[in-house]
Amino acid sequence: MLSIYFGEPQTETYIYNPDAFFNNRHMADWLTEPLSVEMIRDVDKSEVVGPNLIQSPFLGPIPPERLSGGVKTLIMIDHDGEHLFNASACGDNCAKWLLVIGDEKDRTVRLGYIMDFGRDKFDIRIENTNKIVHSMTEMTEEIVRKHLL
């Protein structure tokens, strides 16, 4: 399940800058896995040619380090369950992928804003209050009611 911590976490496992963390820690084979390929295609509109080459319609051939911060963060969240990543590096176009990852694995991320997870029902645990919410309305009400942001 996807869990979200709102605010600034006080833990040594928190990665504030997942973009830089990815540049130093990612494994090349992560990029060719089906979920990563799909996320890169959807978020960055780019195609994975190989583990070290992405074809971007905007930048041409690029190394993985030139991917957007959002897709790098998603890849790190998918592959590294030991750290708490700052998902504020992601835009709303990453929300559906956070839900996909959360459907497959237990992951906790940090957000500093209310990301739009859409109109469909979902299961997200608010880490600060241990409440599971199922809609944007429930999530927003919990955040506002508990003054989490």
Side-chain angles (χ1 to χ4, degrees):
M1 175 181 286
L2 178 64
S3 295
I4 299 174
Y5 185 91
F6 287 95
E8 290 301 320
Q10 302 300 313
T11 175
E12 292 179 16
T13 63
Y14 176 50
I15 305 299
Y16 176 77
N17 187 345
D19 189 325
F21 193 81
F22 173 93
N23 290 346
N24 293 298
R25 298 279 183 102
H26 81 279
M27 304 296 290
D29 62 329
W30 292 353
L31 292 147
T32 57
E33 292 177 2
L35 182 59
S36 295
V37 169
E38 286 183 64
M39 292 188 301
I40 291 166
R41 183 177 294 132
D42 181 56
V43 175
D44 283 4
K45 311 298 183 228
S46 298
E47 296 296 325
V48 175
V49 177
N52 295 302
L53 181 62
I54 314 297
Q55 183 63 42
S56 166
F58 310 106
L59 303 172
I62 60 170
E65 293 78 15
R66 300 273 319 267
L67 288 167
S68 71
V71 82
K72 287 187 208 180
T73 302
L74 290 171
I75 292 169
M76 291 306 303
I77 291 166
D78 184 38
H79 288 91
D80 182 342
E82 300 298 316
H83 291 94
L84 172 68
F85 290 97
N86 181 10
S88 289
C90 299
D92 287 341
N93 61 338
C94 296
K96 73 178 182 182
W97 296 109
L98 288 171
L99 293 173
V100 168
I101 294 167
D103 283 345
E104 297 175 5
K105 302 171 182 173
D106 289 333
R107 292 293 190 260
T108 301
V109 301
R110 178 265 177 186
L111 277 175
Y113 73 99
I114 301 174
M115 181 178 276
D116 184 358
F117 286 95
R119 296 178 187 266
D120 294 336
K121 295 282 186 193
F122 52 73
D123 295 321
I124 293 176
R125 182 174 164 267
I126 305 298
E127 184 80 12
N128 312 61
T129 63
N130 203 30
K131 179 166 180 163
I132 297 174
V133 295
H134 307 286
S135 68
M136 284 304 302
T137 300
E138 286 182 24
M139 179 187 292
T140 303
E141 287 173 357
E142 182 70 3
I143 293 165
V144 170
R145 187 170 55 83
K146 297 292 184 170
H147 306 286
L148 299 179
L149 289 178

